[in-house]
Amino acid sequence: MTPYSLAFYLDVVTTGTVLGARPTDSPEQLTEILGTDYAENVSGRHHMWRDHGLVEFFWERGRPTDPWAGHHFTLQVHRLARGRRSLVNATLRDRYGRFAPRLRYDTLRRLLDRRGVPLVEIPEAAANVPYFRTFWQPDSRVAVRVIGTYGPYSTPDFLRVGDVYSIQAPVSGPGVAADGTTG
């Protein structure tokens, strides 16, 4: 068995879900899976996201009377490097145990390769080059953003080159991911 948080990341990258929660699931479905320990944020009347510390899910709707439609989720892996153990909600800790403060891309990639789950590098938005690199898993449509090089005001001081910054799903093909959008 893969220790601690590595098993969680492998599950997310392989399946494109968080404990089975899909990016398209409703807020109610997400509550059933991850629980009620979250901060809910609304931007205008058309965008909402729930912040579960490490995990954020996002929804949108056309009109205020429409139901929320799931858009994507992001694992804010970089937040773990700040050392706050409470950042990972109880549901994830109960399932996966302790979460390390950093996720090294080389380790993640090696473990995914052993499982036959490839990651391919996709173009990074011009504003992020060379500070970030993004790798994509075509079957699950998950993108892994990694610190490519250090740059003052461009990358966090508390992360090292090769640390995973975030994991997001779904991300459509490389042409779409190049401009930073998800689909």
Side-chain angles (χ1 to χ4, degrees):
M1 172 156 173
T2 305
Y4 307 120
S5 54
L6 283 174
F8 170 68
Y9 299 123
L10 291 171
D11 288 348
V12 170
V13 173
T14 301
T15 67
T17 68
V18 175
L19 291 177
R22 298 178 311 265
T24 55
D25 283 348
S26 71
E28 296 77 23
Q29 289 169 307
L30 185 64
T31 299
E32 289 178 21
I33 295 168
L34 287 181
T36 58
D37 185 16
Y38 58 82
E40 188 168 278
N41 305 280
V42 178
S43 176
R45 295 187 284 178
H46 305 286
H47 302 279
M48 177 178 72
W49 70 99
R50 286 193 179 164
D51 184 343
H52 290 263
L54 172 63
V55 180
E56 294 179 334
F57 271 77
F58 296 80
W59 295 270
E60 60 187 6
R61 61 185 176 188
R63 296 178 308 214
T65 56
D66 291 344
W68 292 109
H71 188 266
H72 73 279
F73 68 77
T74 302
L75 305 183
Q76 302 289 1
V77 180
H78 61 95
R79 292 179 179 172
L80 293 169
R82 298 271 187 195
R84 287 184 33 229
R85 298 234 182 248
S86 62
L87 182 68
V88 179
N89 85 6
T91 303
L92 292 177
R93 284 193 317 269
D94 290 348
R95 172 81 180 268
Y96 293 98
R98 180 178 57 86
F99 277 66
R102 286 185 171 77
L103 173 59
R104 299 294 296 166
Y105 174 72
D106 290 343
T107 302
L108 177 67
R109 180 157 199 160
R110 185 178 66 251
L111 292 170
L112 287 166
D113 284 346
R114 285 184 189 163
R115 292 179 179 204
V117 179
L119 291 173
V120 295
E121 189 162 11
I122 60 174
E124 185 63 56
N128 294 331
V129 174
Y131 308 109
F132 292 92
R133 297 173 68 193
T134 300
F135 299 87
W136 184 60
Q137 206 304 304
D139 294 328
S140 64
R141 298 180 11 172
V142 171
V144 179
R145 178 164 280 162
V146 178
I147 302 295
T149 190
Y150 175 74
Y153 311 110
S154 298
T155 55
D157 292 337
F158 53 88
L159 292 178
R160 300 180 298 230
V161 171
D163 283 347
V164 172
Y165 182 81
S166 65
I167 298 173
Q168 183 175 340
V171 172
S172 293
V176 174
D179 68 4
T181 60
T182 58

